[in-house]
Amino acid sequence: MTQRVELATLRDRLAVDGMVTEYAVAVDDGDWEAYRSLFTPDGRADYRSAGGIEGDAGSVATWLAESMQLFSMRQHLIVNRRVRFGILEQDIGDTAGVQADYVDPMRFAENGAGSAAPDFVCGGRYAFGLLRTDDGWRLREVVVQEKWRRLPDRTAPAVAT
């Protein structure tokens, strides 16, 4: 590879990684307009494994806006990001796929802002499909594969002395 190709690949990797971060921030902040803007016009999301819906980004954003009202705090931690570039119309690098694990601690709104600890934690894996557009990288598909969830025990275990 030439330095120019390596630099372009590095820039694409950073841009794709940035889109995953923007996704997490939009969901955590409840910024549904920003969420919608991350997707291509035909972009879709699938939250069925987490008890949600599958559909176009606009419909899913509407569903998320309603269902996330249950939680006063959300904090996606998206880690172990694997980025793979694909080929579209014979141009290397026009598509990308990201596989990333997540942990998402949340606090129920009914428990108020006084509680510091999350009431609900879930984890799993995301599959992001991205497309290079004239406006930069955009999400074409987001698939959530929830693997576990739990309600943390609210009492600390006794410490043996």
Side-chain angles (χ1 to χ4, degrees), residues 17-153:
D17 188 71
M19 286 298 293
V20 171
T21 299
E22 291 299 324
Y23 166 88
V25 170
V27 172
D28 290 345
D29 290 351
D31 187 345
W32 309 118
E33 194 57 41
Y35 178 92
R36 287 178 186 90
S37 74
L38 298 173
F39 286 83
T40 61
D42 63 343
R44 301 186 69 76
D46 184 348
Y47 290 82
R48 290 177 293 182
S49 77
I53 67 168
E54 186 275 333
D56 65 84
S59 298
V60 172
T62 300
W63 171 78
L64 282 168
E66 184 177 311
S67 63
M68 290 295 116
Q69 288 179 17
L70 293 171
F71 304 101
S72 62
M73 182 277 297
R74 299 175 293 275
Q75 186 179 27
H76 277 79
L77 305 171
I78 302 179
V79 299
N80 301 333
R81 300 175 192 202
R82 280 187 176 157
V83 178
R84 301 284 188 258
F85 290 100
I87 299 173
L88 179 67
E89 297 174 6
Q90 305 306 314
D91 292 326
I92 295 175
D94 284 338
T95 62
V98 179
Q99 177 182 339
D101 296 324
Y102 71 89
V103 174
D104 189 7
M106 297 180 273
R107 182 174 41 248
F108 288 115
E110 65 192 32
N111 291 338
S115 172
D119 302 308
F120 179 86
V121 183
C122 61
R125 182 165 286 161
Y126 281 112
F128 296 96
L130 294 96
L131 177 68
R132 183 195 313 270
T133 72
D134 291 340
D135 297 320
W137 288 95
R138 292 292 179 265
L139 297 170
R140 206 174 192 184
E141 179 180 49
V142 175
V143 177
V144 176
Q145 180 189 6
E146 186 176 272
K147 294 182 177 186
W148 58 270
R149 61 172 61 183
R150 70 179 171 93
L151 296 169
D153 186 22

